[in-house]
Amino acid sequence: MLHISQRQRLYAFFSQLFTYPDAELLTVLQGESPAEVGVLLGVAPPASAGLSLVALQEAYTGLFISRHGGVPAPPYGSVYLDDGVLMGASTLKVTEAYHAAGLVIDGSSEPADFLATELEFLYFLVGREEEGFRGRDVAAARLATSRQHDFLVNSLLPWLEPFADRIASSDAPPIYRWAAAGLLAFCRDEQSWLARLN
Amino acid sequence: MSRLIDKKLSRRRFIGLSSCTLATAVVGSQVKVLRALATSGDISAPVAGKDDSIFTTCGMCVNKCGVIARVRDGVIRKLDPNPHFIKSRAMLCARGNAGVKVVYDPDRLKYPLIRTGARGEGKFRKATWAEALDLVAKNLNTIADKYTRAGVMFASTEGTYQDHFFNQLAECFGSPNTVRHPTLCLSSNIQGFSATFGTNPTPDVLNADYIIMSGANRSEALITPDSIDMLKGDGGRRKVIYLDPRFTKTAAKADKWFPIKAGTDMAFILAMINVIVSEGLYDKTYLQNNTVGFDKLLPHVASYTPEWAQDECEIAADDIRKVAREFAEAAPKAVYYQGRRSSFASNDTQMRRAMAILNAIVGNWDVKGGMLPNAGIKLTPHDYLAPWYDDVPERIDAGSVAFLSEKDGSWPVVQERVLAADPYPVKGMMIYKQNVLSSVPDRAKTLKMMDQMDFICCIDITMSDAAWYSDVVLPEATYLERQDPIESLGGPVPVAVFRQPAIEAQFESKPCLWIMQELATRLGEEIAETFDFTMDEYIHHQVKNNPQILTDLKEKGVYFERTEPNYGSTLGKRLKTVSGKIEIYSQRYADKGLDPLPVYISPTKIPAGKYRLIVGRHAFFTHGTTANNAYLHEIMPENTLWLHSAAAAQAGLTHGQTVKVRSSVGEETLNLEVTDKIRPDCVYMAHGFGVLSKGLSNIYGKGGCDAALIETKYCPISGNAAMHETLVEVVPA
Ligand code: SF4
């Protein structure tokens, strides 16, 4: 089983990876993090040699932002859960989940169910869980884990699977294929132990 | 594991996002987008946006129907027709209803993009607005320095209400080379009818007892209110005669359909005129008082008998005679409906002249059920003084056709001359929502034209073919997210409309005005000065002399001054023609060396094994931009090639088979629809399909693009493209 800090870092890692690439991400990818994540996931990352920022940005743009004829894998939950549209009923549910946990979106023009934001939310909840345990506030920790479970089951996992499938059958570069498959495996794992816990 | 996330960098970025240090402490240093609700206890911030109903205007096609956007929880859930909107008879069509999908389309443009790969390779990166706009301005200035300001062409759509700002930028930048849609659509109609009546009038479809339509497929190529009114009729007296090589939905609704041979409509019209004048079915005194040149018409049409026309159009002489007599009998409540698109043949302007003359001789001008002059709602224009530049040559297409529109230009001529750098090079292209690669005939040529550009910038809401071939792509806010200025929609019952944002613009999309203002600032003070206003100031200036307009727009979503046409307002007054009367004979044309009365020219014979390609619109799709709409896509996933069953049998082709359609300029692959709803000498495909990139396996092969097949031909009078003069062959794929 993964340690709480490892889970938190995995969410942070994937949230950053599914955000538009910047120099910071390139540094992370060229460092040891992917290999460490690979160890946790049990699947080694593709070689990072030769990764360039522009190539990453091109790939991200073509996979997730805009492409002639449509991007293969829009990174928004409602596209999979609400008949192909942005801002569907499921997006509102996500906003409600953030709100219930005392959060609002700030500083982003992306819809609430943007993958990176959903992962950031889980990162935050794991942080709450950790704080709870650290401060011996079991109720707070339990609330955080039950929120994680509910969010994974109701909002993220239902679309993460088709999303990962679409990436797998697209022309995505290896890093995104690895990340999508790894993220799905990790989230499934999280969901199953959270289910046992709750 | 400690290096998994670089804590230092993350923290710096977070602080940049929010000055609320309390939130930092609460949320955690690596949370970038989510912010804690204030810990001071205010957790009452609304979860979702508000509920609202917003009056605005549809932006899915040219008609601009009145819409009420129903917003729930800050999201547009539904578009309803505006019951006050008289022009569209309070309706919205399938496309209008599907407008919500435009806003919430995951494939809409979201951020400025800068091309990184080769043109058309499809590699882009996201950019900030500042970076993208700087790049556009820098390129425009470089091209202007090297090739004069005429070296940048500006191609624009119409009807977004913000196209005015794009055209203003073109003018203030100093390029004469603006090119707009009319020569791909209706410029021959405007020319032919204006040469006769001084205006392109509107048929009073609601009140006409007898309507003849030539290829104006109103049940599919929707024009409001005509598409609705043509089905009503007054007291059961209405008769609709429809001429088209295809059995369209309009043919299905018509009282009589004639599968006319394509390109011969003028023969039918001239023969009708022949019958009416030779049988004396007109009012002599009326013609004497109100028209010029009727005496010249008599000998002119003498040889255009129904028997002669029968051989040309393949419509029986007796039928032509019958229609002519019925038309004259029903007059003046009878109209030969000119339709909108007149990009059929290179003699289209003269064909429209013939239509106008036929209408004129039955005395239907400005009477109930006849052809009506248009009026508008008076708005105060925004005046600006465009900077003056020396050494800017005239339009690149200057002198190419007899009557060239100064602002619209002629697309086919511009394409040819830019490609030949004749008489000067054009190396920059600014595109505003015109998908030039799917709308301008001969796509291969347009591609070459774009290939030789030093710089292309495209403003759009979707990654169109044109955007795909651009260097910088700028995302415009969709019509449901914008405040647009007031627009007068002219007609016998004019209305004023505007758009209000139903929701805030999504992602980083921006209205055209904002983009133009930002560009103007970067292009220089003099240009920026002309854009020194806010949208609110602009609108208030428009209604400065009649504030009621804005009040009504806010309260009812539409402003109008009357609900009925003002019949007869021009009778006895000077028309806007040279003579002031209806010009059956055009001295103006004669002076230009053009036929002053329409002379018929037979279309080229179709050799064995070839077919005439005819194209058209569909009720579910407007142009290329609607083809990606998932709701509409479901109704019509692709276009097919129509071929008559006898022709298919002869060629050994079967229904559903994939075929190649080949013209002298291109080849497209699509599925064959074997049908008896088309003449055996024609093939048909709907406009708006066929993507460029073979690399896009999920959509490549879904239908074909008409622009890839159509050869560059145009009317020498109006410059209107001639889209039905291309002959194609069809072979198994
Ligand atoms: S006809 Fe349809 S698409 Fe066109 S403006 Fe009206 S509702 Fe919109």
PDB file of all heavy atoms in Angstrom, chain B residues 54-57 64-68 82 84-85 161 495-500 549-560:
ATOM      1  N   ILE B  54     -32.091  35.560 -21.296  1.00  0.00           N
ATOM      2  CA  ILE B  54     -31.432  36.680 -21.968  1.00  0.00           C
ATOM      3  C   ILE B  54     -31.905  36.777 -23.416  1.00  0.00           C
ATOM      4  O   ILE B  54     -31.848  35.796 -24.167  1.00  0.00           O
ATOM      5  CB  ILE B  54     -29.897  36.459 -21.985  1.00  0.00           C
ATOM      6  CG1 ILE B  54     -29.361  36.160 -20.584  1.00  0.00           C
ATOM      7  CG2 ILE B  54     -29.175  37.632 -22.642  1.00  0.00           C
ATOM      8  CD1 ILE B  54     -29.211  37.348 -19.691  1.00  0.00           C
ATOM      9  N   PHE B  55     -32.335  37.961 -23.796  1.00  0.00           N
ATOM     10  CA  PHE B  55     -32.675  38.193 -25.204  1.00  0.00           C
ATOM     11  C   PHE B  55     -31.404  38.349 -26.018  1.00  0.00           C
ATOM     12  O   PHE B  55     -30.531  39.153 -25.675  1.00  0.00           O
ATOM     13  CB  PHE B  55     -33.480  39.486 -25.363  1.00  0.00           C
ATOM     14  CG  PHE B  55     -34.906  39.366 -24.938  1.00  0.00           C
ATOM     15  CD1 PHE B  55     -35.398  40.148 -23.900  1.00  0.00           C
ATOM     16  CD2 PHE B  55     -35.762  38.489 -25.592  1.00  0.00           C
ATOM     17  CE1 PHE B  55     -36.728  40.060 -23.514  1.00  0.00           C
ATOM     18  CE2 PHE B  55     -37.097  38.396 -25.204  1.00  0.00           C
ATOM     19  CZ  PHE B  55     -37.571  39.176 -24.162  1.00  0.00           C
ATOM     20  N   THR B  56     -31.312  37.633 -27.091  1.00  0.00           N
ATOM     21  CA  THR B  56     -30.181  37.823 -27.983  1.00  0.00           C
ATOM     22  C   THR B  56     -30.574  37.365 -29.395  1.00  0.00           C
ATOM     23  O   THR B  56     -31.757  37.187 -29.674  1.00  0.00           O
ATOM     24  CB  THR B  56     -28.918  37.110 -27.424  1.00  0.00           C
ATOM     25  OG1 THR B  56     -27.793  37.482 -28.212  1.00  0.00           O
ATOM     26  CG2 THR B  56     -29.058  35.602 -27.422  1.00  0.00           C
ATOM     27  N   THR B  57     -29.588  37.209 -30.267  1.00  0.00           N
ATOM     28  CA  THR B  57     -29.891  36.830 -31.647  1.00  0.00           C
ATOM     29  C   THR B  57     -29.101  35.593 -32.025  1.00  0.00           C
ATOM     30  O   THR B  57     -27.941  35.471 -31.660  1.00  0.00           O
ATOM     31  CB  THR B  57     -29.459  37.944 -32.618  1.00  0.00           C
ATOM     32  OG1 THR B  57     -29.566  39.188 -31.988  1.00  0.00           O
ATOM     33  CG2 THR B  57     -30.278  37.930 -33.862  1.00  0.00           C
ATOM     34  N   LYS B  64     -30.330  35.555 -38.411  1.00  0.00           N
ATOM     35  CA  LYS B  64     -30.291  36.276 -37.137  1.00  0.00           C
ATOM     36  C   LYS B  64     -31.637  36.273 -36.419  1.00  0.00           C
ATOM     37  O   LYS B  64     -32.182  37.323 -36.050  1.00  0.00           O
ATOM     38  CB  LYS B  64     -29.840  37.720 -37.367  1.00  0.00           C
ATOM     39  CG  LYS B  64     -28.453  37.807 -37.947  1.00  0.00           C
ATOM     40  CD  LYS B  64     -28.356  38.863 -39.023  1.00  0.00           C
ATOM     41  CE  LYS B  64     -27.020  38.863 -39.707  1.00  0.00           C
ATOM     42  NZ  LYS B  64     -27.046  39.435 -41.037  1.00  0.00           N
ATOM     43  N   CYS B  65     -32.181  35.105 -36.231  1.00  0.00           N
ATOM     44  CA  CYS B  65     -33.481  34.987 -35.557  1.00  0.00           C
ATOM     45  C   CYS B  65     -33.358  35.364 -34.081  1.00  0.00           C
ATOM     46  O   CYS B  65     -32.325  35.161 -33.462  1.00  0.00           O
ATOM     47  CB  CYS B  65     -34.003  33.558 -35.678  1.00  0.00           C
ATOM     48  SG  CYS B  65     -34.241  33.046 -37.388  1.00  0.00           S
ATOM     49  N   GLY B  66     -34.469  35.875 -33.542  1.00  0.00           N
ATOM     50  CA  GLY B  66     -34.493  36.279 -32.136  1.00  0.00           C
ATOM     51  C   GLY B  66     -34.487  35.068 -31.221  1.00  0.00           C
ATOM     52  O   GLY B  66     -35.225  34.111 -31.433  1.00  0.00           O
ATOM     53  N   VAL B  67     -33.658  35.157 -30.184  1.00  0.00           N
ATOM     54  CA  VAL B  67     -33.454  34.013 -29.280  1.00  0.00           C
ATOM     55  C   VAL B  67     -33.608  34.455 -27.837  1.00  0.00           C
ATOM     56  O   VAL B  67     -33.244  35.571 -27.489  1.00  0.00           O
ATOM     57  CB  VAL B  67     -32.004  33.467 -29.460  1.00  0.00           C
ATOM     58  CG1 VAL B  67     -31.639  32.484 -28.363  1.00  0.00           C
ATOM     59  CG2 VAL B  67     -31.827  32.818 -30.819  1.00  0.00           C
ATOM     60  N   ILE B  68     -34.156  33.573 -27.026  1.00  0.00           N
ATOM     61  CA  ILE B  68     -34.050  33.774 -25.577  1.00  0.00           C
ATOM     62  C   ILE B  68     -33.169  32.653 -25.047  1.00  0.00           C
ATOM     63  O   ILE B  68     -33.480  31.470 -25.203  1.00  0.00           O
ATOM     64  CB  ILE B  68     -35.428  33.719 -24.880  1.00  0.00           C
ATOM     65  CG1 ILE B  68     -36.381  34.736 -25.507  1.00  0.00           C
ATOM     66  CG2 ILE B  68     -35.263  33.971 -23.383  1.00  0.00           C
ATOM     67  CD1 ILE B  68     -37.813  34.640 -24.999  1.00  0.00           C
ATOM     68  N   ASN B  82     -37.694  33.861 -29.714  1.00  0.00           N
ATOM     69  CA  ASN B  82     -38.253  35.069 -29.113  1.00  0.00           C
ATOM     70  C   ASN B  82     -39.628  35.319 -29.742  1.00  0.00           C
ATOM     71  O   ASN B  82     -39.727  35.582 -30.935  1.00  0.00           O
ATOM     72  CB  ASN B  82     -37.303  36.242 -29.401  1.00  0.00           C
ATOM     73  CG  ASN B  82     -37.834  37.565 -28.875  1.00  0.00           C
ATOM     74  OD1 ASN B  82     -38.978  37.652 -28.428  1.00  0.00           O
ATOM     75  ND2 ASN B  82     -37.007  38.593 -28.942  1.00  0.00           N
ATOM     76  N   HIS B  84     -41.500  37.748 -29.740  1.00  0.00           N
ATOM     77  CA  HIS B  84     -41.708  39.084 -30.324  1.00  0.00           C
ATOM     78  C   HIS B  84     -41.022  39.225 -31.677  1.00  0.00           C
ATOM     79  O   HIS B  84     -41.167  40.244 -32.333  1.00  0.00           O
ATOM     80  CB  HIS B  84     -41.128  40.167 -29.399  1.00  0.00           C
ATOM     81  CG  HIS B  84     -41.619  40.089 -27.997  1.00  0.00           C
ATOM     82  ND1 HIS B  84     -42.939  40.291 -27.672  1.00  0.00           N
ATOM     83  CD2 HIS B  84     -40.976  39.825 -26.833  1.00  0.00           C
ATOM     84  CE1 HIS B  84     -43.087  40.155 -26.364  1.00  0.00           C
ATOM     85  NE2 HIS B  84     -41.905  39.862 -25.833  1.00  0.00           N
ATOM     86  N   PHE B  85     -40.232  38.246 -32.033  1.00  0.00           N
ATOM     87  CA  PHE B  85     -39.362  38.430 -33.192  1.00  0.00           C
ATOM     88  C   PHE B  85     -40.128  38.153 -34.483  1.00  0.00           C
ATOM     89  O   PHE B  85     -40.174  37.025 -34.974  1.00  0.00           O
ATOM     90  CB  PHE B  85     -38.129  37.533 -33.079  1.00  0.00           C
ATOM     91  CG  PHE B  85     -36.980  38.030 -33.893  1.00  0.00           C
ATOM     92  CD1 PHE B  85     -36.199  39.080 -33.447  1.00  0.00           C
ATOM     93  CD2 PHE B  85     -36.702  37.495 -35.133  1.00  0.00           C
ATOM     94  CE1 PHE B  85     -35.155  39.574 -34.208  1.00  0.00           C
ATOM     95  CE2 PHE B  85     -35.664  37.977 -35.908  1.00  0.00           C
ATOM     96  CZ  PHE B  85     -34.885  39.025 -35.435  1.00  0.00           C
ATOM     97  N   TYR B 161     -22.059  40.901 -36.443  1.00  0.00           N
ATOM     98  CA  TYR B 161     -22.260  42.277 -35.962  1.00  0.00           C
ATOM     99  C   TYR B 161     -20.923  42.907 -35.556  1.00  0.00           C
ATOM    100  O   TYR B 161     -20.825  44.104 -35.386  1.00  0.00           O
ATOM    101  CB  TYR B 161     -23.229  42.399 -34.778  1.00  0.00           C
ATOM    102  CG  TYR B 161     -24.578  41.741 -34.953  1.00  0.00           C
ATOM    103  CD1 TYR B 161     -25.459  41.631 -33.873  1.00  0.00           C
ATOM    104  CD2 TYR B 161     -25.007  41.225 -36.166  1.00  0.00           C
ATOM    105  CE1 TYR B 161     -26.702  41.029 -34.005  1.00  0.00           C
ATOM    106  CE2 TYR B 161     -26.238  40.618 -36.301  1.00  0.00           C
ATOM    107  CZ  TYR B 161     -27.071  40.508 -35.213  1.00  0.00           C
ATOM    108  OH  TYR B 161     -28.286  39.896 -35.337  1.00  0.00           O
ATOM    109  N   VAL B 495     -36.186  45.354 -38.819  1.00  0.00           N
ATOM    110  CA  VAL B 495     -36.079  45.228 -37.365  1.00  0.00           C
ATOM    111  C   VAL B 495     -34.650  45.577 -36.950  1.00  0.00           C
ATOM    112  O   VAL B 495     -33.733  45.461 -37.748  1.00  0.00           O
ATOM    113  CB  VAL B 495     -36.422  43.802 -36.866  1.00  0.00           C
ATOM    114  CG1 VAL B 495     -37.852  43.426 -37.177  1.00  0.00           C
ATOM    115  CG2 VAL B 495     -35.465  42.760 -37.444  1.00  0.00           C
ATOM    116  N   ALA B 496     -34.509  45.997 -35.703  1.00  0.00           N
ATOM    117  CA  ALA B 496     -33.165  46.190 -35.154  1.00  0.00           C
ATOM    118  C   ALA B 496     -32.940  45.112 -34.109  1.00  0.00           C
ATOM    119  O   ALA B 496     -33.862  44.739 -33.372  1.00  0.00           O
ATOM    120  CB  ALA B 496     -33.024  47.574 -34.532  1.00  0.00           C
ATOM    121  N   VAL B 497     -31.727  44.586 -34.108  1.00  0.00           N
ATOM    122  CA  VAL B 497     -31.398  43.489 -33.193  1.00  0.00           C
ATOM    123  C   VAL B 497     -30.046  43.768 -32.542  1.00  0.00           C
ATOM    124  O   VAL B 497     -29.308  44.622 -33.003  1.00  0.00           O
ATOM    125  CB  VAL B 497     -31.321  42.136 -33.942  1.00  0.00           C
ATOM    126  CG1 VAL B 497     -32.672  41.736 -34.466  1.00  0.00           C
ATOM    127  CG2 VAL B 497     -30.312  42.197 -35.093  1.00  0.00           C
ATOM    128  N   PHE B 498     -29.743  43.038 -31.506  1.00  0.00           N
ATOM    129  CA  PHE B 498     -28.395  43.059 -30.946  1.00  0.00           C
ATOM    130  C   PHE B 498     -28.149  41.748 -30.225  1.00  0.00           C
ATOM    131  O   PHE B 498     -28.991  40.851 -30.264  1.00  0.00           O
ATOM    132  CB  PHE B 498     -28.153  44.282 -30.067  1.00  0.00           C
ATOM    133  CG  PHE B 498     -28.735  44.261 -28.670  1.00  0.00           C
ATOM    134  CD1 PHE B 498     -28.214  45.089 -27.676  1.00  0.00           C
ATOM    135  CD2 PHE B 498     -29.792  43.427 -28.330  1.00  0.00           C
ATOM    136  CE1 PHE B 498     -28.728  45.095 -26.395  1.00  0.00           C
ATOM    137  CE2 PHE B 498     -30.323  43.432 -27.045  1.00  0.00           C
ATOM    138  CZ  PHE B 498     -29.780  44.276 -26.082  1.00  0.00           C
ATOM    139  N   ARG B 499     -26.995  41.645 -29.642  1.00  0.00           N
ATOM    140  CA  ARG B 499     -26.723  40.443 -28.856  1.00  0.00           C
ATOM    141  C   ARG B 499     -26.264  40.855 -27.467  1.00  0.00           C
ATOM    142  O   ARG B 499     -25.507  41.807 -27.322  1.00  0.00           O
ATOM    143  CB  ARG B 499     -25.643  39.575 -29.508  1.00  0.00           C
ATOM    144  CG  ARG B 499     -26.071  38.955 -30.794  1.00  0.00           C
ATOM    145  CD  ARG B 499     -25.193  37.773 -31.204  1.00  0.00           C
ATOM    146  NE  ARG B 499     -25.681  37.194 -32.445  1.00  0.00           N
ATOM    147  CZ  ARG B 499     -25.187  37.467 -33.658  1.00  0.00           C
ATOM    148  NH1 ARG B 499     -24.166  38.289 -33.769  1.00  0.00           N
ATOM    149  NH2 ARG B 499     -25.703  36.920 -34.727  1.00  0.00           N
ATOM    150  N   GLN B 500     -26.744  40.119 -26.475  1.00  0.00           N
ATOM    151  CA  GLN B 500     -26.278  40.311 -25.107  1.00  0.00           C
ATOM    152  C   GLN B 500     -25.646  38.998 -24.671  1.00  0.00           C
ATOM    153  O   GLN B 500     -26.128  37.931 -25.039  1.00  0.00           O
ATOM    154  CB  GLN B 500     -27.442  40.597 -24.172  1.00  0.00           C
ATOM    155  CG  GLN B 500     -28.348  41.706 -24.626  1.00  0.00           C
ATOM    156  CD  GLN B 500     -29.373  42.058 -23.554  1.00  0.00           C
ATOM    157  OE1 GLN B 500     -29.117  42.853 -22.671  1.00  0.00           O
ATOM    158  NE2 GLN B 500     -30.549  41.450 -23.647  1.00  0.00           N
ATOM    159  N   ILE B 549     -34.947  52.415 -29.159  1.00  0.00           N
ATOM    160  CA  ILE B 549     -34.434  51.178 -29.763  1.00  0.00           C
ATOM    161  C   ILE B 549     -33.805  50.300 -28.689  1.00  0.00           C
ATOM    162  O   ILE B 549     -34.122  49.112 -28.564  1.00  0.00           O
ATOM    163  CB  ILE B 549     -33.391  51.498 -30.870  1.00  0.00           C
ATOM    164  CG1 ILE B 549     -34.042  52.296 -32.005  1.00  0.00           C
ATOM    165  CG2 ILE B 549     -32.753  50.218 -31.413  1.00  0.00           C
ATOM    166  CD1 ILE B 549     -33.074  52.739 -33.102  1.00  0.00           C
ATOM    167  N   LEU B 550     -32.958  50.925 -27.877  1.00  0.00           N
ATOM    168  CA  LEU B 550     -32.252  50.154 -26.854  1.00  0.00           C
ATOM    169  C   LEU B 550     -33.222  49.661 -25.776  1.00  0.00           C
ATOM    170  O   LEU B 550     -33.117  48.516 -25.308  1.00  0.00           O
ATOM    171  CB  LEU B 550     -31.131  51.004 -26.233  1.00  0.00           C
ATOM    172  CG  LEU B 550     -30.139  50.255 -25.354  1.00  0.00           C
ATOM    173  CD1 LEU B 550     -29.507  49.084 -26.087  1.00  0.00           C
ATOM    174  CD2 LEU B 550     -29.049  51.200 -24.854  1.00  0.00           C
ATOM    175  N   THR B 551     -34.170  50.512 -25.442  1.00  0.00           N
ATOM    176  CA  THR B 551     -35.157  50.104 -24.444  1.00  0.00           C
ATOM    177  C   THR B 551     -35.889  48.865 -24.930  1.00  0.00           C
ATOM    178  O   THR B 551     -36.035  47.877 -24.197  1.00  0.00           O
ATOM    179  CB  THR B 551     -36.190  51.254 -24.227  1.00  0.00           C
ATOM    180  OG1 THR B 551     -35.455  52.456 -24.039  1.00  0.00           O
ATOM    181  CG2 THR B 551     -37.080  50.985 -23.059  1.00  0.00           C
ATOM    182  N   ASP B 552     -36.360  48.905 -26.165  1.00  0.00           N
ATOM    183  CA  ASP B 552     -37.098  47.752 -26.700  1.00  0.00           C
ATOM    184  C   ASP B 552     -36.211  46.513 -26.799  1.00  0.00           C
ATOM    185  O   ASP B 552     -36.655  45.396 -26.528  1.00  0.00           O
ATOM    186  CB  ASP B 552     -37.667  48.074 -28.090  1.00  0.00           C
ATOM    187  CG  ASP B 552     -38.931  48.911 -27.993  1.00  0.00           C
ATOM    188  OD1 ASP B 552     -39.213  49.419 -26.890  1.00  0.00           O
ATOM    189  OD2 ASP B 552     -39.640  49.050 -29.021  1.00  0.00           O
ATOM    190  N   LEU B 553     -34.974  46.739 -27.198  1.00  0.00           N
ATOM    191  CA  LEU B 553     -34.066  45.583 -27.325  1.00  0.00           C
ATOM    192  C   LEU B 553     -33.884  44.912 -25.974  1.00  0.00           C
ATOM    193  O   LEU B 553     -33.863  43.688 -25.878  1.00  0.00           O
ATOM    194  CB  LEU B 553     -32.723  46.027 -27.894  1.00  0.00           C
ATOM    195  CG  LEU B 553     -32.716  46.283 -29.404  1.00  0.00           C
ATOM    196  CD1 LEU B 553     -31.404  46.913 -29.848  1.00  0.00           C
ATOM    197  CD2 LEU B 553     -32.951  44.991 -30.177  1.00  0.00           C
ATOM    198  N   LYS B 554     -33.775  45.720 -24.942  1.00  0.00           N
ATOM    199  CA  LYS B 554     -33.582  45.137 -23.615  1.00  0.00           C
ATOM    200  C   LYS B 554     -34.852  44.462 -23.111  1.00  0.00           C
ATOM    201  O   LYS B 554     -34.805  43.438 -22.454  1.00  0.00           O
ATOM    202  CB  LYS B 554     -33.121  46.205 -22.633  1.00  0.00           C
ATOM    203  CG  LYS B 554     -31.657  46.568 -22.858  1.00  0.00           C
ATOM    204  CD  LYS B 554     -31.131  47.495 -21.805  1.00  0.00           C
ATOM    205  CE  LYS B 554     -29.634  47.687 -21.988  1.00  0.00           C
ATOM    206  NZ  LYS B 554     -29.149  48.887 -21.327  1.00  0.00           N
ATOM    207  N   GLU B 555     -35.995  45.063 -23.460  1.00  0.00           N
ATOM    208  CA  GLU B 555     -37.256  44.517 -22.940  1.00  0.00           C
ATOM    209  C   GLU B 555     -37.841  43.393 -23.772  1.00  0.00           C
ATOM    210  O   GLU B 555     -38.487  42.493 -23.261  1.00  0.00           O
ATOM    211  CB  GLU B 555     -38.290  45.650 -22.817  1.00  0.00           C
ATOM    212  CG  GLU B 555     -38.063  46.468 -21.562  1.00  0.00           C
ATOM    213  CD  GLU B 555     -38.924  47.720 -21.513  1.00  0.00           C
ATOM    214  OE1 GLU B 555     -39.866  47.818 -22.336  1.00  0.00           O
ATOM    215  OE2 GLU B 555     -38.645  48.591 -20.682  1.00  0.00           O
ATOM    216  N   LYS B 556     -37.637  43.479 -25.107  1.00  0.00           N
ATOM    217  CA  LYS B 556     -38.281  42.482 -25.984  1.00  0.00           C
ATOM    218  C   LYS B 556     -37.307  41.762 -26.908  1.00  0.00           C
ATOM    219  O   LYS B 556     -37.681  40.863 -27.649  1.00  0.00           O
ATOM    220  CB  LYS B 556     -39.316  43.156 -26.899  1.00  0.00           C
ATOM    221  CG  LYS B 556     -40.401  43.953 -26.234  1.00  0.00           C
ATOM    222  CD  LYS B 556     -41.471  44.332 -27.244  1.00  0.00           C
ATOM    223  CE  LYS B 556     -40.974  45.391 -28.218  1.00  0.00           C
ATOM    224  NZ  LYS B 556     -41.982  45.878 -29.150  1.00  0.00           N
ATOM    225  N   GLY B 557     -36.067  42.211 -26.895  1.00  0.00           N
ATOM    226  CA  GLY B 557     -35.067  41.566 -27.747  1.00  0.00           C
ATOM    227  C   GLY B 557     -35.139  41.978 -29.199  1.00  0.00           C
ATOM    228  O   GLY B 557     -34.397  41.452 -30.035  1.00  0.00           O
ATOM    229  N   VAL B 558     -36.034  42.907 -29.529  1.00  0.00           N
ATOM    230  CA  VAL B 558     -36.163  43.340 -30.924  1.00  0.00           C
ATOM    231  C   VAL B 558     -36.828  44.711 -30.946  1.00  0.00           C
ATOM    232  O   VAL B 558     -37.598  45.050 -30.041  1.00  0.00           O
ATOM    233  CB  VAL B 558     -36.973  42.302 -31.749  1.00  0.00           C
ATOM    234  CG1 VAL B 558     -38.381  42.132 -31.207  1.00  0.00           C
ATOM    235  CG2 VAL B 558     -37.016  42.672 -33.236  1.00  0.00           C
ATOM    236  N   TYR B 559     -36.488  45.489 -31.976  1.00  0.00           N
ATOM    237  CA  TYR B 559     -37.140  46.783 -32.154  1.00  0.00           C
ATOM    238  C   TYR B 559     -37.672  46.857 -33.575  1.00  0.00           C
ATOM    239  O   TYR B 559     -36.966  46.496 -34.520  1.00  0.00           O
ATOM    240  CB  TYR B 559     -36.141  47.916 -31.918  1.00  0.00           C
ATOM    241  CG  TYR B 559     -36.660  49.285 -32.306  1.00  0.00           C
ATOM    242  CD1 TYR B 559     -37.450  50.031 -31.438  1.00  0.00           C
ATOM    243  CD2 TYR B 559     -36.385  49.818 -33.577  1.00  0.00           C
ATOM    244  CE1 TYR B 559     -37.938  51.278 -31.815  1.00  0.00           C
ATOM    245  CE2 TYR B 559     -36.875  51.065 -33.948  1.00  0.00           C
ATOM    246  CZ  TYR B 559     -37.650  51.782 -33.067  1.00  0.00           C
ATOM    247  OH  TYR B 559     -38.146  53.007 -33.439  1.00  0.00           O
ATOM    248  N   PHE B 560     -38.923  47.274 -33.721  1.00  0.00           N
ATOM    249  CA  PHE B 560     -39.451  47.505 -35.060  1.00  0.00           C
ATOM    250  C   PHE B 560     -40.464  48.629 -35.000  1.00  0.00           C
ATOM    251  O   PHE B 560     -40.998  48.951 -33.931  1.00  0.00           O
ATOM    252  CB  PHE B 560     -40.071  46.233 -35.663  1.00  0.00           C
ATOM    253  CG  PHE B 560     -40.988  45.476 -34.741  1.00  0.00           C
ATOM    254  CD1 PHE B 560     -42.321  45.807 -34.624  1.00  0.00           C
ATOM    255  CD2 PHE B 560     -40.500  44.413 -33.991  1.00  0.00           C
ATOM    256  CE1 PHE B 560     -43.160  45.103 -33.776  1.00  0.00           C
ATOM    257  CE2 PHE B 560     -41.334  43.701 -33.130  1.00  0.00           C
ATOM    258  CZ  PHE B 560     -42.668  44.050 -33.025  1.00  0.00           C
TER     259      PHE B 560
END
